[in-house]
Amino acid sequence: MLSLKTSVPLRAEPKKKKKVDPRREIMMKERLKKKLKKLERVPPEMIPIEDFITSAKSFDDTRVREAPELSFEESERRALLLKEWSRYKRSQHQTEMLVIQEALEAQTQALEELKLESEELYKAAVSPDTDIFPFQHDGPCYTPPLTSYEAPEGKYNDITRVYTQ
Amino acid sequence: MAAPFTRVFRPFWRIITTTTSSRGVRNVSYTSQQWSAQNVKTAGAASPWALHGAVCVQRLPVVSQDRSPIEEEFMELMSKMEFERSLLADHELKLLDDAARMSRKQEEDYDSDEEEDYRDKEIVTAQDLEDIWEQKLKEFQPALRSQGNDQKEASSSERCLADSLILLVKKDVGSQKLWLLPQIQWQMGETLRQTAERALASLPGADLKATFLGNAPCGFYKYKYPKDIQKEGSVGAKVFFFKAVLSSHKHLPLENNSFAWVKKDELQDFLKPEYLKQVRRFIMAL
């Protein structure tokens, strides 16, 4: 009875919380969730198409090139050359169309003759060819390919912008 | 196409009711109907034309064509107009800056401390860069566009790189040797396209790989045999042409006298007029 009290108070009752508090906490959580949902309902930002945006460099005044003065003869020559070109292109187009028409006629005649020959062969000829696509062919370049050429290896930094929604 | 039968065709009900005596007749009359209606493969044997499949292999151009004078002029005009309407590029701005800086250096009251940005760095002017690039370009030697225009070797597939070439073969037809597109006789049970593929594969000494453009023939040519060869069944032959694009470029030595790679304009030196008329229709050389 004369020693000091060393034990932890063991008989104190914890403070009772009021019943309104859990309900209040639940209400707060629901309100937060609703706010989050409202924020999420916003449609995602569209990914900008870089080709459609004129870069700021085009509006730079320091980059304007001095427009040369065209003499009357020069502008006349240009106008006449443009007209000559349109005539040339038209005749080129006409020859192309004729050539294509000729080839098509030759093919239809060949198919008619084949029909006269045998029905089965005609059906086989007219049936679609599934193996031809994908068709690949390297078109003409300015100089023919060098047979023993090794292209030099180079490093490059890819700076394309990648957008995520 | 019913072959003429001299036997009398008995009416249907009599054929069913009679038994052993008329069985031979019934079978024969039935089989004649079956043969004409269903068996189309052998119908070819009844027609007087022999079928051949031929292939028109094209080596497409490897090099672009030279421009005509008007095209050159127009190209020049277009590049000039584009240049006039354009804005200055980054490289050109640098050139102008360098030129301005050089002119400032030449002045007497030049104070290099004013150039804040360039004091410590090594100056590589835009002009230097241009010279470096030009030197690098000169180091590269491209192949020649035209390796001698008068290439007499008609059998080389490397001639006339700017045009599309067609393969011709010299073949014995009857008594003559003629230049033709490679062709071979059609066999029973294969389509004409397979005949054309066989024609390409059967060329002696050539290892050509080509992609056939579709199942349908692009043209045909029919000719009659001369009177002494015409037998009962065959009046002549029909040749169906198929187009193909050469995919592999193996330079195997082909026999000089029997192969030729020719342009469309040179075809008239090789082919007979009637044959040429039909072949020219489907060869498009623009």
Side-chain angles (χ1 to χ4, degrees):
Chain A
M1 295 294 177
L2 294 168
S3 61
L4 292 164
K5 187 176 173 185
T6 48
S7 58
V8 173
L10 295 166
R11 282 176 297 161
E13 250 181 272
K15 192 170 117 188
K16 267 190 194 159
K17 285 189 187 154
K18 296 183 196 166
K19 275 196 183 165
V20 191
D21 277 341
R23 246 185 278 159
R24 240 192 250 169
E25 280 183 19
I26 292 168
M27 290 290 283
M28 275 180 54
K29 278 183 197 166
E30 276 177 28
R31 261 182 255 151
L32 283 170
K33 277 184 200 167
K34 276 185 190 169
K35 279 186 191 164
L36 273 171
K37 274 187 195 169
K38 270 193 189 167
L39 286 171
E40 275 169 21
R41 239 182 271 158
V42 168
E45 206 181 287
M46 309 278 245
I47 298 176
I49 301 173
E50 305 225 352
D51 290 336
F52 292 171
I53 305 167
T54 5
S55 65
K57 283 186 183 177
S58 322
F59 300 113
D60 201 357
D61 280 332
T62 56
R63 288 176 184 259
V64 171
R65 203 188 284 276
E66 301 161 356
E69 297 257 343
L70 289 177
S71 65
F72 174 71
E73 286 96 11
E74 179 62 25
S75 57
E76 280 288 308
R77 180 195 82 99
R78 284 189 182 187
L80 289 172
L81 183 57
L82 287 168
K83 293 189 182 182
E84 186 66 43
W85 177 253
S86 78
R87 267 177 252 140
Y88 174 75
K89 270 302 192 186
R90 180 174 171 272
S91 65
Q92 211 183 44
H93 183 255
Q94 272 186 333
T95 39
E96 276 178 22
M97 287 294 118
L98 284 174
V99 161
I100 291 172
Q101 209 181 42
E102 186 73 35
L104 201 60
E105 268 174 27
Q107 193 179 51
T108 38
Q109 276 185 16
L111 283 172
E112 274 170 38
E113 290 283 322
L114 188 56
K115 203 170 183 179
L116 289 175
E117 281 296 306
S118 99
E119 201 58 43
E120 223 186 59
L121 287 176
Y122 175 77
K123 277 187 199 156
V126 166
S127 61
D129 183 16
T130 46
D131 297 327
I132 191 175
F133 293 118
F135 178 70
Q136 209 186 38
H137 174 75
D138 295 327
C141 302
Y142 190 67
T143 51
L146 288 167
T147 38
S148 57
Y149 179 70
E150 282 179 29
E153 277 197 27
K155 280 193 307 182
Y156 59 92
N157 298 326
D158 200 1
I159 53 168
T160 41
R161 292 195 196 162
V162 179
Y163 296 94
T164 44
Q165 280 197 315
Chain B
M1 274 202 237
F5 262 84
T6 49
R7 281 181 218 265
V8 173
F9 185 85
R10 287 202 184 186
F12 201 78
W13 61 272
R14 280 215 63 169
I15 291 165
I16 290 170
T17 49
T18 52
T19 49
T20 49
S21 56
S22 59
R23 201 170 278 166
V25 177
R26 184 210 325 184
N27 282 340
V28 163
S29 52
Y30 270 148
T31 48
S32 76
Q33 280 182 335
Q34 281 171 359
W35 178 81
S36 56
Q38 290 167 19
N39 209 339
V40 188
K41 262 188 197 168
T42 51
S47 84
W49 300 95
L51 290 179
H52 294 261
V55 63
C56 166
V57 198
Q58 273 188 317
R59 189 226 63 194
L60 295 177
V62 175
V63 153
S64 56
Q65 282 184 335
D66 287 324
R67 282 177 281 266
S68 60
I70 185 173
E71 283 176 348
E72 281 276 6
E73 271 188 56
F74 189 71
M75 192 179 86
E76 248 187 70
L77 173 63
M78 278 291 109
S79 53
K80 248 199 231 170
M81 282 172 75
E82 253 192 65
F83 183 75
E84 283 164 13
R85 293 177 190 180
S86 65
L87 296 172
L88 295 170
D90 293 338
H91 183 76
E92 290 189 300
L93 281 181
K94 268 193 218 157
L95 277 170
L96 287 175
D97 280 340
D98 292 341
R101 210 172 351 113
M102 293 308 281
S103 64
R104 261 182 286 148
K105 262 191 184 170
Q106 310 301 330
E107 280 172 34
E108 289 175 350
D109 52 348
Y110 174 64
D111 194 1
S112 69
D113 295 335
E114 284 179 359
E115 308 277 349
E116 290 171 1
D117 304 327
Y118 302 97
R119 234 180 314 167
D120 300 328
K121 293 184 217 168
E122 242 193 63
I123 301 171
V124 182
T125 55
Q127 193 63 48
D128 293 338
L129 283 174
E130 274 192 26
D131 295 331
I132 293 169
W133 297 334
E134 244 194 82
Q135 274 203 347
K136 269 201 179 166
L137 180 64
K138 279 188 191 158
E139 282 172 14
F140 173 68
Q141 294 297 329
L144 293 170
R145 265 164 70 84
S146 66
Q147 291 139 0
N149 278 323
D150 297 325
Q151 267 202 324
K152 307 279 179 172
E153 287 181 28
S155 64
S156 149
S157 72
E158 302 301 309
R159 63 188 290 258
C160 301
L161 292 171
D163 303 298
S164 52
L165 300 178
I166 298 160
L167 181 65
L168 291 183
V169 183
K170 207 170 198 182
K171 214 177 154 180
D172 294 327
V173 171
S175 50
Q176 311 165 314
K177 278 210 168 193
L178 294 177
W179 282 103
L180 301 170
L181 294 178
Q183 74 184 47
I184 209 167
Q185 182 128 22
W186 171 74
Q187 281 169 359
M188 202 80 75
E190 61 175 9
T191 61
L192 276 173
R193 178 180 159 159
Q194 284 164 356
T195 321
E197 282 167 2
R198 215 165 35 99
L200 188 60
S202 67
L203 294 171
D207 188 15
L208 305 165
K209 291 212 181 90
T211 338
F212 277 78
L213 306 173
N215 283 331
C218 56
F220 84 104
Y221 173 66
K222 69 182 180 195
Y223 62 99
K224 290 192 178 168
Y225 295 141
K227 296 276 177 174
D228 40 339
I229 302 181
Q230 272 188 25
K231 292 172 238 171
E232 280 180 6
S234 60
V235 167
K238 274 191 190 172
V239 191
F240 287 95
F241 299 100
F242 286 80
K243 262 198 186 168
V245 164
L246 192 68
S247 45
S248 88
H249 228 108
K250 287 195 190 150
H251 317 300
L252 286 177
L254 309 171
E255 299 163 30
N256 250 337
N257 284 332
S258 55
F259 285 82
W261 289 97
V262 290
K263 297 191 279 194
K264 187 171 177 181
D265 321 333
E266 297 168 355
L267 278 176
Q268 61 220 29
D269 301 329
F270 287 81
L271 303 177
K272 296 266 161 170
E274 280 300 316
Y275 191 75
L276 175 69
K277 205 169 112 179
Q278 293 296 329
V279 165
R280 277 174 82 111
R281 295 174 76 196
F282 57 79
I283 294 178
M284 299 198 271
L286 297 159

